[in-house]
Amino acid sequence: MVVSRARSVKTASSSKAAARAEMPKRDAILEAATRVFLAHGYEGASMDLVAKESGAARRTVYNQFESKEALFSAAVERVWRDFPVVGIAADKEALGDPAVGLSRLGRAVVEFWEPPVAVAFLRMVISEGMRFPDLPRNFFEAGKAPAMRALIDYLQQINENGSLDIPDAELAARQFLGLLNEPLLWLRVVGVGEPPSSAECQRVVEEAVMMMMARYGSSG
Amino acid sequence: MVVSRARSVKTASSSKAAARAEMPKRDAILEAATRVFLAHGYEGASMDLVAKESGAARRTVYNQFESKEALFSAAVERVWRDFPVVGIAADKEALGDPAVGLSRLGRAVVEFWEPPVAVAFLRMVISEGMRFPDLPRNFFEAGKAPAMRALIDYLQQINENGSLDIPDAELAARQFLGLLNEPLLWLRVVGVGEPPSSAECQRVVEEAVMMMMARYGSSG
DNA sequence: ACTGCACTGCACTGTGCAGTGTAATTACTC
DNA sequence: GAGTAATTACACTGCACAGTGCAGTGCAGT
């Protein structure tokens, strides 16, 4: 997992290089590698193709990254870094009306998975999970757990202020995610059906919220 | 997709061979191939390993299956053939009490995905979906669609006899599946967390049914 | 004994790919 | 313009693996 940063040695020691920590070749290689790995998987991707796609010589790829595995790790790390964080502040309005808060959280989750690159990345996490156990672990710790945490926290607050009656916030959170992900995410991951329209997304979120309200609403 | 069946020629023309359509080597190869492909994926699996695992000579593998791709197709076909079909007859009791019918359907779905080989197979459908578009298509047509159809049919019957008020049976079916699959299936597919206990499964099914009853129950 | 057939073991071809060594070329800095 | 470091093109090694050809073996049925 140690990544060689050939140029950083120079940029660190050079006088004016501090201003330009660009490393354009390195970035181009990483960008191309991300594309190629997401499209073909680890085995299916060849260093030759990465070089061609990045416009760099094959040797340069190896000068920047000591192995295919290191390149893969670096590319994955970059994707993680660029991933948005699902985090929603629960303001007064959201705490007052669970339907508002849940809609907001639901839309955030849906928007998180909306970009095709997110789905492709999840597919790669599943595909390469055996070869790189870090992938599922990081996916869980950096991707899933925070979103779950935010959702559970919100549901507990809602429960404590009496807006809803939620005995098991963790279960409720998973249920809510299930209502959203089954139609909007997993079908795309498996690769059947067309990507959902925004109207469809909205509908699914609304219906999921209605489901939560019906099940946990104390007004029933 | 044409599979060579070297021995079937003989068994068809031979006199007493009709009694023994065993083809033990072929079956052993298919069994081993299934195991190897599920464990390593298409690229990661080598014909050498399949031969070794099956106890057959490498040449025999090629005598039975004309290529790696043909072997893969045959192995996948065999898995499809052995898959149980999620189909539940809606009897009087189930039609009279939606909670009973939904519990039954839910348990059937959960049991369908319970065996690790089912999860491994779904993982392979996702992994190799690009290389073999038949996989997701067949998964959808032979695996998902029938289950959805059975669920939708049941929900429509329940709706028509007034037990529940379900305006959109397809949406409701996907919601129900989402409530079940998110905690019980997808976590295992991604490869995080331990397989759920049977108590957990039961709990998830019960809670999913409660959710459906709360949302679509006309008694509310 | 003879024949047909599946099976085996082995050597072999061809290919694609990871990774390396090197000399020439380019780009940047002073 | 000189010096330095990155970059490039190219040749090369080593390896794993798909697929083939072939000589030989064991085992029916005749």
Side-chain angles (χ1 to χ4, degrees), chain A residues 40 43-45 131, chain B residues 37 40-46 68 128 131:
Chain A
H40 300 93
E43 291 242 45
R131 197 189 318 268
Chain B
F37 279 130
H40 300 93
Y42 181 78
E43 292 243 44
S46 78
K68 186 182 184 183
E128 311 293 344
R131 198 190 317 271

Side-chain angles (χ1 to χ4, degrees), chain B residues 48-197:
Chain B
D48 236 347
L49 184 57
V50 171
K52 191 143 298 187
E53 289 280 312
S54 67
R58 210 157 74 93
R59 201 59 178 82
T60 304
V61 176
Y62 277 102
N63 287 341
Q64 293 287 347
F65 304 92
E66 61 182 15
S67 68
K68 186 182 184 183
E69 206 176 316
L71 176 59
F72 182 76
S73 295
V76 168
E77 203 177 318
R78 204 183 72 113
V79 172
W80 279 130
R81 217 191 42 226
D82 294 355
F83 252 28
V85 177
V86 175
I88 299 92
D91 60 11
K92 293 283 175 210
E93 188 185 4
L95 285 174
D97 187 347
V100 171
L102 285 175
S103 288
R104 219 175 276 175
L105 282 158
R107 271 195 302 273
V109 170
V110 168
E111 275 165 24
F112 178 83
W113 290 116
E114 187 270 331
V117 62
V119 175
F121 188 72
L122 176 54
R123 195 181 289 136
M124 201 175 66
V125 169
I126 294 169
S127 303
E128 311 293 344
M130 291 291 164
R131 198 190 317 271
F132 301 97
D134 279 0
L135 279 181
R137 202 174 329 151
N138 286 338
F139 167 76
F140 191 69
E141 291 172 4
K144 187 112 187 173
M148 275 290 283
R149 200 64 252 165
L151 195 45
I152 291 173
D153 284 349
Y154 175 74
L155 291 172
Q156 275 171 344
Q157 286 180 273
I158 287 296
N159 179 59
E160 280 159 18
N161 77 12
S163 300
L164 293 180
D165 179 26
I166 306 172
D168 189 339
E170 187 179 335
L171 174 73
R174 286 194 301 199
Q175 287 177 321
F176 188 56
L177 289 180
L179 290 170
L180 300 175
N181 288 343
E182 174 79 14
L184 301 182
L185 174 59
W186 296 114
L187 280 184
R188 292 167 67 203
V189 170
V190 175
V192 292
E194 64 290 339
S197 66

Side-chain angles (χ1 to χ4, degrees), chain A residues 12-41:
Chain A
S13 60
S14 177
S15 56
K16 78 171 68 170
R20 48 191 314 284
E22 303 173 12
M23 300 201 278
K25 279 288 168 191
R26 193 168 215 276
D27 287 353
I29 292 169
L30 268 181
E31 189 275 334
T34 306
R35 243 182 315 122
V36 172
F37 279 130
L38 283 181
H40 300 93

